[in-house]
Amino acid sequence: MPDSGHTGAAIGALKPRALVELLDRMNPAEAMDIDADAIGRALNPRKLGRNDLTTALRAITRLAEAGAPVDLSAMSPKTFVRILTQASTDQIQSIMAEPGLRARVLGEMFRHMSDHPRDERIKDLKAVIHWRLTGGAGEDGYDRYETVIADGACVGGTEMTASPKVTVTLSPTDFLKLITNNVSAPVLFMTGKLKVRGDLAFAAGLTGLFDLPKP
C-alpha cells in the first residue's frame, strides 16, 4: 500500500477491476488512511462485470464494520449517486441479492433523498409516501420505507408512522433506477413494474420532489 499522503492518488490511478481486487483482499489496518470518496470516485461500474461492483461494495462494508473509515456513508452524495446511476440492471440486481448489502445501499439512498429534497416543490406540501420493495425480509416479503414531507422538510425511515398519500410497490432495482432518473414512473407503471395505491398523479411526479446530486 502507498503511504497515506498518496493514498487518494494511488487509488485513483488503479484500473477499476484492480481496485476491486485490492479492496477484496485489504485488511482493516490497511484501510485506516483511505478516503472513502476516493474509492467511490475510482469505481466505474461501466468497466466492471456483473458481480464486481457487489464485490467492491461488500469489501467496503466489511472494512467499515471492522472500524475502517470507508463506509458508504462516508462517500459524498454525488459519488454515491453516480455509482448507482452508472450501474447496469444486472449489477444492481447482484447487489440487491445480498440482504446486508441491499439494506445498506437502500438505507443510504433514502438518507440522501431526505437530505436533498427539492425545496421549491415541498415547501407547501404535506404528504406521506410508503415504499414497498419486493424480495425483502419484512412482512409479506417486502422491505418497507416511509418518506414524510411536512413543514418544508423531508424525513425518511423504516417505521410506518402515518397514513400515506400514496403507497408505491416495485422492485429495489427499479426503485434505484427510478430515483436516479434512469427510468420514469409512467414507464414503470405502464409496463406493470410499478404499482400504486392512492394518488396516481402525485405518484407520477415523485422523483421531482428530490434533488439528488447529478453525477
Side-chain angles (χ1 to χ4, degrees), residues 102 132-137 140-143 169-173 193:
R102 167 183 169 130
R132 301 196 311 171
L133 306 184
T134 59
D140 299 327
Y142 296 107
D143 286 333
T169 302
L170 71 172
S171 75
T173 298
K193 295 180 179 180

Side-chain angles (χ1 to χ4, degrees), residues 174-196:
D174 285 329
F175 163 74
L176 290 171
K177 291 172 66 178
L178 174 68
I179 211 66
T180 56
N181 292 308
N182 277 324
V183 68
S184 70
V187 167
L188 289 176
F189 182 78
M190 293 296 291
T191 54
K193 295 180 179 180
L194 182 151
K195 297 179 181 179
V196 176

